[in-house]
Amino acid sequence: YFSTLPIHSSQKTEIENGKTIISLNIIPTMELMSEILSHNDQIKLIEPKELVQVLKKIISKNLKQYN
């Protein structure tokens, strides 16, 4: 999907151990977070760790809405 519709012009894609690794050189925004979240479990943010923590908080708040 991201090979045909890149998220950003800085996007670089490589295959590692059968997994597609996508690298972006951008300033994180809420728009980026929304894009990541829109792909549910089909995408995993690895770095930067600070952004991973922000994403975890967003997901945690979403889960609490359904408890």
Side-chain angles (χ1 to χ4, degrees), residues 10-63:
S10 70
Q11 180 171 317
K12 294 181 182 163
T13 305
E14 60 184 86
I15 305 296
E16 187 176 295
N17 298 322
K19 295 183 180 182
T20 303
I21 308 295
I22 298 171
S23 301
L24 303 169
N25 186 18
I26 59 175
I27 297 171
T29 63
M30 200 57 207
E31 183 179 1
L32 174 63
M33 298 303 282
S34 294
E35 181 69 29
I36 292 168
L37 288 166
S38 74
H39 294 282
N40 300 309
D41 63 347
Q42 301 299 308
I43 190 170
K44 179 180 180 182
L45 182 65
I46 299 171
E47 292 180 317
K49 299 295 183 192
E50 298 83 13
L51 199 56
V52 170
Q53 291 305 317
V54 170
L55 189 63
K56 284 181 176 181
K57 286 180 184 179
I58 291 170
I59 292 169
S60 178
K61 283 182 179 181
N62 285 346
L63 284 173

